[in-house]
Amino acid sequence: MFVGVLLALIAGMLVSVQTLFNNKVSAAVYSHTTTALVLGMGFMASVGMGLAVEGAEFLHWHAMPSWFWLSGLIGIGVVTCVVKGVNLIGPSAATAIVMASQMVCAVWWDSGGWFGLEEVPFTWQKAIGITALIAGLILFKFNPNFSMHRFSSFKR
């Protein structure tokens, strides 16, 4: 479990940094050019790492539902929407909204057993957690009276 938590934390940090980098790229080129560059470089790096780590087994693909292949197309939507969102509302708010949306959808899909997931019951604790996450997002982004300057005395 520890390794899973650690990997999830690293993924969150990497997504945050990637979002910032993608935003800088999109300032220099068109949005869809950014998406092509990001996904193209990711493809090349993934193939290289896959071959280096897994060898020939990397090219052995197991049977799966054909609609799972759409995940690459979904990636286009992810990168495009995040880049545009960052440009319109800023990196912190966009990242927070992306995370809240991921949490709501993940709980929804877990609870329904969608996409071949094991069905996990929806509990009041999950409802409170999601509500707190969304309330925090609203406070963070839309409350003009909330400012990190209030906490500046804690800086060293």
Side-chain angles (χ1 to χ4, degrees):
M1 185 166 128
F2 174 75
V3 172
V5 170
L6 182 63
L7 290 172
L9 287 170
I10 291 169
M13 289 185 276
L14 291 173
V15 166
S16 187
V17 170
Q18 181 190 27
T19 298
L20 295 173
F21 285 13
N22 291 353
N23 186 47
K24 296 299 182 185
V25 172
S26 73
V29 298
Y30 292 105
S31 175
H32 292 293
T33 305
T34 301
T35 302
L37 289 169
V38 168
L39 295 177
M41 285 188 291
F43 172 77
M44 291 186 295
S46 294
V47 169
M49 287 178 63
L51 290 171
V53 173
E54 298 168 8
E57 187 65 23
F58 174 74
L59 301 173
H60 181 87
W61 299 345
H62 301 279
M64 67 179 134
S66 58
W67 52 276
F68 282 177
W69 292 95
L70 297 175
S71 66
L73 297 176
I74 293 169
I76 294 169
V78 170
V79 174
T80 301
C81 291
V82 170
V83 166
K84 288 286 193 182
V86 167
N87 286 334
L88 294 171
I89 62 174
S92 297
T95 301
I97 292 170
V98 167
M99 288 188 310
S101 176
Q102 284 179 305
M103 179 61 73
V104 169
C105 289
V107 168
W108 182 22
W109 295 327
D110 274 350
S111 298
W114 290 26
F115 307 113
L117 297 172
E118 180 181 333
E119 192 170 330
V120 178
F122 185 75
T123 62
W124 62 271
Q125 292 98 333
K126 290 178 184 174
I128 290 171
I130 289 171
T131 302
L133 180 69
I134 293 170
L137 170 64
I138 290 168
L139 282 173
F140 179 79
K141 179 61 182 171
F142 300 107
N143 185 347
N145 297 325
F146 183 79
S147 172
M148 288 307 291
H149 296 292
R150 292 182 183 182
F151 303 106
S152 62
S153 62
F154 297 118
K155 291 182 182 177
R156 294 184 179 223

